Amino acid sequence: MIRKFLDLGIQPLANQYLNKPKNLSVKKGQLYNLNVCFNSKTKLVSISKKIPVKKMFNNTYPYKSSMSKTMLASFENLSNEIKKKFKPKLFLEIGSNDGALIKNFNIKNTVCVEPCTNLAKITKKKGYFTYAKYWDYNLSNEIKKKFNSVDVIYAANTLTHIANLREVFKSVCNILSNNGVLIIEDPSLLECIKKTSYDQFYNEHIYVFSALAVKNIINEFGLVLFDIQKISTHGGSLRYFIKRKKNNQIKISNKVSTQIDKEIKYGLDKFSTFVKFGEKTINSKNRLISLLNRLKKQNKIIVGYGATAKATTVLNYCGIDEKIIDFFIDTTPDKINKYMPGKKIPIKKYNKKIYKNVDYFLLGAWNFKKEIFKKEKKFIKKGGKFITHVPKPKIIIS
Ligand code: TMP
């Protein structure tokens, strides 16, 4: 049974940064009601409304993985590990974005899949064999014809974006070699629930996975988890290592059962846990609004730091507008001089002059707090402060 536990209100499409703010409409599919549900059979948490993929992933997708040093370092470490442990003759990445990970691999041994043509162009230009297509069964057949099978398939922050998970795994199984490995990494549901980071939910994040749900879903396809790594990216993620059940060459690590036990202990198998999370989310919203209103009454200048998709959920759920946040700053060229989705809050290019009058930065990219605090040492030294809503709304300086 699928039951709703959270209503995050009417939301715009998260990565639709407009050149000019305009009134959006539900009828035209520019706005939708963001509800989050729990499936008591599979234990999968998902949003209820699925936006057509072509509306989300097209030739103007603004997000680039290479924009963050944290992501680049994480990808470099993982690439070294994959090369050492699995020695793939052919490595395929689903959702290769701008090539932040694939650049660590030899061009000859790789295949990229990236439906956003603006991004696919970047890896193509560098010589990587790139399919500018959505990951589906037809594409897996096309890849099978050309390459026969693939030894390692990797997808970071991508499979949660694809509504039809059955087709995702069926397509993986179609081309994964008998001793092949599938590696996926995505934000961890346990971390999301612990941190009340309700902003992990938006139209592109159709699912937030737990190890428990992943185990249940892949079981149908003759796949099993054989290892799990906890990683700090995207506010706390899990990296799942998956193999075919019949592959006896790879042992199953204790880390798999440890993670699943932890999730069950926290109640990720029970609807009541998510109801509580829903209550905490409302609490978080109220506290953030009163904190921001208090600071505005003191005439403080508050600017958003990191025009993230997550920030779009927060702004639109909490009703935070241009009267509270003067503007956002971001380093991503495709977001600069545009407006936060659903809001009249402009996004400006990151530069040090911006600091002159800023009293508080609202951390849109709270998942990069460490990297940002390192960069903003001077701002903090001069008395500048940050506001975060994770794990609860508060002012922070370290
Ligand atoms: P994400 O949380 O969805 O990965 O997006 C991070 C956004 O934050 C991305 O648009 C880049 C931006 N950003 C900055 O503007 N400055 C920074 O120092 C960092 C780390 C990220």
Side-chain angles (χ1 to χ4, degrees):
M1 189 166 54
I2 298 175
R3 288 163 83 188
K4 176 178 133 181
F5 61 86
L6 179 61
D7 182 346
L8 290 167
I10 300 294
Q11 294 276 348
L13 302 189
N15 270 310
Q16 302 283 312
Y17 299 89
L18 299 177
N19 291 322
K20 267 189 192 161
K22 66 172 184 189
N23 289 332
L24 303 173
S25 106
V26 176
K27 252 191 182 165
K28 288 184 189 157
Q30 296 157 326
L31 294 171
Y32 68 104
N33 195 178
L34 179 54
N35 287 314
V36 194
C37 307
F38 175 68
N39 182 327
S40 51
K41 189 170 168 227
T42 59
K43 316 299 177 200
L44 188 62
V45 165
S46 65
I47 64 168
S48 57
K49 173 92 183 154
K50 318 279 190 296
I51 306 290
V53 279
K54 286 183 182 145
K55 267 197 157 170
M56 301 189 279
F57 310 112
N58 41 44
N59 58 350
T60 57
Y61 194 68
Y63 183 79
K64 289 203 176 92
S65 309
S66 296
M67 282 297 127
S68 150
K69 283 185 189 154
T70 313
M71 289 312 292
L72 289 173
S74 168
F75 285 150
E76 192 180 343
N77 287 339
L78 174 67
S79 303
N80 291 336
E81 189 184 334
I82 291 174
K83 284 187 269 187
K84 209 170 142 194
K85 267 196 193 160
F86 306 117
K87 302 180 182 64
K89 288 197 283 293
L90 191 63
F91 175 85
L92 180 141
E93 186 178 9
I94 308 172
S96 47
N97 198 274
D98 61 351
L101 174 116
I102 210 92
K103 70 174 190 168
N104 298 298
F105 286 85
N106 191 323
I107 284 179
K108 286 183 205 150
N109 305 334
T110 56
V111 181
C112 299
V113 173
E114 176 49 64
C116 304
T117 45
N118 58 324
L119 300 171
K121 254 186 212 160
I122 301 173
T123 48
K124 264 186 195 168
K125 211 171 161 187
K126 288 185 181 151
Y128 287 93
F129 193 94
T130 307
Y131 289 98
K133 292 188 173 181
Y134 297 96
W135 179 249
D136 59 18
Y137 199 66
N138 285 341
L139 178 59
S140 73
N141 273 334
E142 214 178 301
I143 295 171
K144 196 174 184 172
K145 252 192 206 160
K146 189 164 172 69
F147 297 99
N148 190 29
S149 65
V150 181
D151 307 307
V152 174
I153 301 178
Y154 173 71
N157 306 303
T158 300
L159 300 193
T160 51
H161 295 52
I162 310 177
N164 190 345
L165 284 181
R166 289 218 154 73
E167 181 161 3
V168 164
F169 291 110
K170 189 177 149 201
S171 313
V172 164
C173 287
N174 193 25
I175 55 164
L176 190 69
S177 63
N178 285 340
N179 293 329
V181 172
L182 166 68
I183 306 167
I184 59 179
E185 65 182 63
D186 286 289
S188 149
L189 183 64
L190 184 60
E191 291 303 313
C192 165
I193 301 294
K194 276 185 179 170
K195 292 180 178 139
T196 320
S197 54
Y198 59 87
D199 50 348
Q200 289 288 9
F201 296 104
Y202 48 93
N203 58 297
E204 290 177 20
H205 279 187
I206 298 168
Y207 305 102
V208 175
F209 291 141
S210 59
L212 190 59
V214 169
K215 176 187 146 225
N216 289 338
I217 294 157
I218 62 174
N219 183 46
E220 252 184 68
F221 299 90
L223 299 170
V224 278
L225 284 163
F226 68 87
D227 202 3
I228 291 182
Q229 289 175 352
K230 270 180 86 169
I231 47 174
S232 60
T233 54
H234 290 289
S237 296
L238 288 180
R239 184 175 284 150
Y240 306 94
F241 292 78
I242 296 165
K243 63 166 185 137
R244 291 187 190 274
K245 271 184 208 163
K246 60 185 181 194
N247 172 1
N248 295 322
Q249 290 181 9
I250 302 177
K251 274 198 189 145
I252 296 181
S253 157
N254 292 339
K255 284 187 196 158
V256 175
S257 56
T258 305
Q259 177 64 29
I260 291 175
D261 289 350
K262 221 192 276 173
E263 291 179 354
I264 291 175
K265 204 169 162 204
Y266 203 84
L268 294 196
D269 56 339
K270 289 193 202 86
F271 184 66
S272 56
T273 307
F274 298 98
V275 172
K276 261 187 228 150
F277 169 73
E279 288 160 4
K280 277 192 187 167
T281 299
I282 296 172
N283 223 337
S284 172
K285 167 184 174 167
N286 292 336
R287 286 173 81 150
L288 182 63
I289 296 171
S290 52
L291 170 61
L292 294 172
N293 283 340
R294 178 164 62 80
L295 296 174
K296 276 327 270 186
K297 270 193 192 141
Q298 296 165 13
N299 293 320
K300 300 293 183 196
I301 295 181
I302 310 170
V303 164
Y305 199 115
T308 58
K310 289 189 285 299
T312 294
T313 295
V314 175
L315 298 182
N316 288 279
Y317 174 57
C318 300
I320 299 166
D321 60 18
E322 72 283 0
K323 288 182 207 103
I324 296 177
I325 308 284
D326 288 34
F327 56 88
F328 265 75
I329 49 165
D330 202 285
T331 48
T332 312
D334 291 342
K335 295 183 185 179
I336 291 162
N337 295 329
K338 295 192 174 159
Y339 286 80
M340 287 303 288
K343 294 287 162 192
K344 290 180 185 144
I345 306 174
I347 304 165
K348 295 191 181 179
K349 189 175 172 175
Y350 174 84
N351 75 63
K352 297 268 176 188
K353 278 186 212 145
I354 259 159
Y355 294 5
K356 260 199 314 197
N357 304 315
V358 177
D359 297 303
Y360 293 88
F361 277 125
L362 174 69
L363 261 181
W366 58 266
N367 45 314
F368 292 116
K369 177 177 164 247
K370 233 183 183 175
E371 183 175 336
I372 291 169
F373 272 50
K374 210 168 154 192
K375 207 155 101 184
E376 307 308 340
K377 262 189 207 149
K378 269 193 187 159
F379 169 75
I380 296 169
K381 217 173 165 189
K382 282 186 180 162
K385 295 184 178 73
F386 283 85
I387 300 164
T388 186
H389 67 286
V390 174
K392 46 187 158 195
K394 60 181 173 196
I395 295 165
I396 45 171
I397 48 166
S398 64

